Amino acid sequence: MLWFVLYTRSRSEKMVADSLQQKGIEVYCPLRKVKRKWSDRIKIIEEPLFRSYCFVKLEEKDRHLAFGVPGVVRYLFWLKKPAIVRQVEIDTIKYMLNNFDHDLIEVIDLKVADRLRINSGVMMDLEGEVVDQHGKLLIVKIDSIGLCISIDPRKNKLEKIG
């Protein structure tokens, strides 16, 4: 069986995961604990790590079963095929959520023209603008030194600013 990525309606991830589980479908909706401040208190709530996504473990032939659940929009596709997530990647997400402070876990979606701050390595504390992307590498223009550098976001701590 394979892990497929389901795209859900906004703010429906937990409801979709519960409904799929009730139908006997193995589902994983990674949740992280975050602090939310109300006028009278601070509360810790669980929110999806990946907005509008749930992972389902199904046989290819059974993918249609997920569409009987309210809130499911479609499957995520990559190169015209349903996106598949390897078991080791699911295990890594689970390990990260079980062993690291959730305040340190954040999913950042960087695109061309986004501003970012580098928070690790030799270029630490420099700010720049994403000017291009080549595969998994980001090409970032660092104004203060007048250079463009390539950064692997998997190996560097980056923070989206502005």
Side-chain angles (χ1 to χ4, degrees):
M1 290 202 293
L2 304 168
W3 285 100
F4 294 98
V5 184
L6 273 179
Y7 183 73
T8 68
R9 278 194 331 238
S10 179
R11 300 184 182 269
S12 298
E13 305 89 349
K14 290 195 261 185
M15 179 199 64
V16 165
D18 290 343
S19 299
L20 287 167
Q21 202 164 27
Q22 287 175 2
K23 288 182 82 170
I25 297 172
E26 188 174 351
V27 62
Y28 180 52
C29 179
L31 301 172
R32 71 183 192 126
K33 293 179 178 125
V34 294
K35 293 175 187 164
R36 289 289 182 248
K37 185 176 180 180
W38 278 265
S39 60
D40 61 336
R41 68 189 186 283
I42 295 176
K43 188 175 180 181
I44 295 176
I45 62 166
E46 287 185 324
E47 70 176 23
L49 182 62
F50 305 106
R51 299 218 182 265
S52 296
Y53 293 116
C54 284
F55 304 100
V56 290
K57 192 173 190 178
L58 296 164
E59 294 288 343
E60 174 81 36
K61 64 180 176 53
D62 294 331
R63 284 190 315 116
H64 67 282
L65 296 174
F67 290 113
V69 171
V72 172
V73 176
R74 62 181 170 82
Y75 281 97
L76 184 69
F77 278 73
W78 177 256
L79 300 175
K80 299 182 181 180
K81 293 180 183 176
I84 295 172
V85 179
R86 297 176 301 162
Q87 182 65 48
V88 68
E89 293 164 324
I90 296 292
D91 292 341
T92 300
I93 295 168
K94 288 178 180 180
Y95 177 81
M96 190 175 60
L97 288 170
N98 288 330
N99 295 296
F100 292 95
D101 183 356
H102 288 202
D103 291 336
L104 301 174
I105 301 170
E106 184 179 358
V107 176
I108 302 173
D109 184 28
L110 293 169
K111 300 177 193 83
V112 172
D114 283 346
R115 301 259 332 141
L116 61 82
R117 178 177 297 113
I118 303 167
N119 290 329
S120 67
V122 236
M123 300 290 181
M124 189 167 154
D125 295 329
L126 292 178
E127 294 181 7
E129 179 182 339
V130 179
V131 293
D132 202 0
Q133 183 173 2
H134 295 288
K136 295 186 191 282
L137 294 178
L138 299 174
I139 308 303
V140 179
K141 180 181 177 195
I142 309 292
D143 295 325
S144 62
I145 58 175
L147 291 175
C148 285
I149 60 171
S150 65
I151 297 177
D152 187 340
R154 298 167 301 169
K155 297 178 182 174
N156 293 277
K157 289 181 87 174
L158 304 174
E159 175 186 354
K160 191 173 180 177
I161 56 176

